[in-house]
Amino acid sequence: MAMKMRSPSYPAVDLKAAVDLAVKIYPGAKHPLGASVIAEEWGYASISSASPYLAALKKYGLLEELPPGNGGSRLLKLTPLAIDIVVDPSGQTTQRANALKKAALNPAIHAEMWEKWGGDSVPESEIRRYLEVERNFNPKYVGKVAEVYKNTIAFSKVSTNDIEANHEDAALLHRDTEVRTNRKRKKMPGTKEDIYTLSDGDVVIQWPEEILPSDLEDLDDWLDIMKRKIKRSVVAETPDKSSAITPEDDE
């Protein structure tokens, strides 16, 4: 029996549609709301009908899921990122513009496609080929994924300069943090951590002690992206970095 092809995770709607949905539940969703309540506010009769849109807002970083409430009901609320966007519907503030750019690349597949092409104009046929051949998307979904991505990038007005500036800011913040802590890392409460030591330094992974199944899907996609990034850092070994066993190692 042939296995059913399962496409990687992707948002069901573009960022503009996701923002419109966030606006519909603001300001009530600044506080936790039941998933059924949000579905009703959006005009859906059931949570299952609204689920693709709940998931899309989570992928953009506009909704966060909280521990179940009384009776085990799903609870969600708008994130600070979403509030930065929806409080300024006229779109005049720098804060809203920056939040849109961040949200646009929050979905793992969007971050991956942006990393590959950046702000370059790419034929849709190439995007479809990449998604279907290299990323193993079900062919019937590649058109939708390509459309959502292109619409989201256009709506957010994200540019290569924005990403480069963010990388520079992140590098400065990382350096300052290293100085303040004297290169001693602190594990955050409520997290787990594992460290793998390489010859040139440590690889550190930290994750929450509890992860929702829906978030695990996105994490899987992000880890795939990170593996591809790490592979680009691989260099040829020199005699100083060889894996040969020395007499001391053999003792």
Side-chain angles (χ1 to χ4, degrees):
M1 181 178 178
M3 290 184 65
K4 184 178 179 181
M5 181 182 294
R6 181 182 180 279
S7 295
S9 177
Y10 66 95
V13 294
D14 61 35
L15 181 58
K16 182 181 185 305
V19 169
D20 289 343
L21 290 171
V23 169
K24 286 185 177 181
I25 57 174
Y26 179 81
K30 288 197 301 182
H31 310 283
L33 293 179
S36 59
V37 174
I38 294 175
E40 185 178 347
E41 290 293 309
W42 287 345
Y44 294 102
S46 65
I47 295 176
S48 60
S49 299
S51 283
Y53 310 105
L54 292 170
L57 267 69
K58 288 173 63 180
K59 287 178 173 61
Y60 287 117
L62 305 181
L63 266 184
E64 60 179 325
E65 189 152 350
L66 307 172
N70 293 334
S73 59
R74 290 178 65 189
L75 296 176
L76 303 101
K77 71 174 184 176
L78 292 172
T79 63
L81 183 69
I83 293 172
D84 283 346
I85 295 170
V86 301
V87 295
D88 177 30
S90 62
Q92 299 300 311
T93 65
T94 301
Q95 189 173 16
R96 182 181 193 271
N98 291 338
L100 285 172
K101 292 168 184 177
K102 178 175 175 57
L105 299 183
N106 269 338
I109 189 64
H110 287 187
E112 177 182 336
M113 293 164 75
W114 179 265
E115 183 189 352
K116 184 173 179 64
W117 296 303
D120 296 336
S121 178
V122 181
E124 186 164 335
S125 57
E126 170 57 20
I127 296 177
R128 294 172 66 100
R129 183 208 64 79
Y130 172 74
L131 292 172
E132 184 175 344
V133 176
E134 297 189 33
R135 293 296 283 111
N136 298 318
F137 271 84
N138 188 317
K140 71 179 183 179
Y141 297 130
V142 295
K144 177 67 173 178
V145 178
E147 178 186 14
V148 165
Y149 173 73
K150 293 180 74 172
N151 289 348
T152 293
I153 296 302
F155 174 68
S156 68
K157 296 182 173 61
V158 66
S159 71
T160 304
N161 290 338
D162 296 317
I163 304 307
E164 289 175 349
N166 287 342
H167 285 172
E168 289 174 3
D169 291 345
L172 289 172
L173 178 62
H174 177 71
R175 186 191 65 188
D176 292 344
T177 301
E178 289 284 302
V179 170
R180 287 197 303 270
T181 60
N182 196 27
R183 302 191 67 84
K184 291 182 180 179
R185 299 190 72 262
K186 293 183 178 179
K187 187 170 81 69
M188 296 295 291
T191 64
K192 294 183 178 181
E193 181 177 285
D194 202 359
I195 301 174
Y196 188 83
T197 301
L198 302 175
S199 57
D200 290 320
D202 293 340
V203 176
V204 182
I205 297 180
Q206 192 175 98
W207 64 96
E209 289 181 347
E210 296 182 355
I211 300 177
L212 294 167
S214 54
D215 288 337
L216 184 59
E217 260 187 39
D218 292 337
L219 179 60
D220 283 340
D221 291 340
W222 180 80
L223 288 172
D224 286 339
I225 294 172
M226 291 307 301
K227 284 189 285 188
R228 285 193 288 276
K229 283 185 176 181
I230 291 169
K231 285 179 181 178
R232 289 198 288 274
S233 300
V234 175
V235 297
E237 288 193 350
T238 65
D240 291 338
K241 295 181 180 180
S242 68
S243 58
I245 299 176
T246 64
E248 290 81 2
D249 293 328
D250 201 32
E251 288 179 357

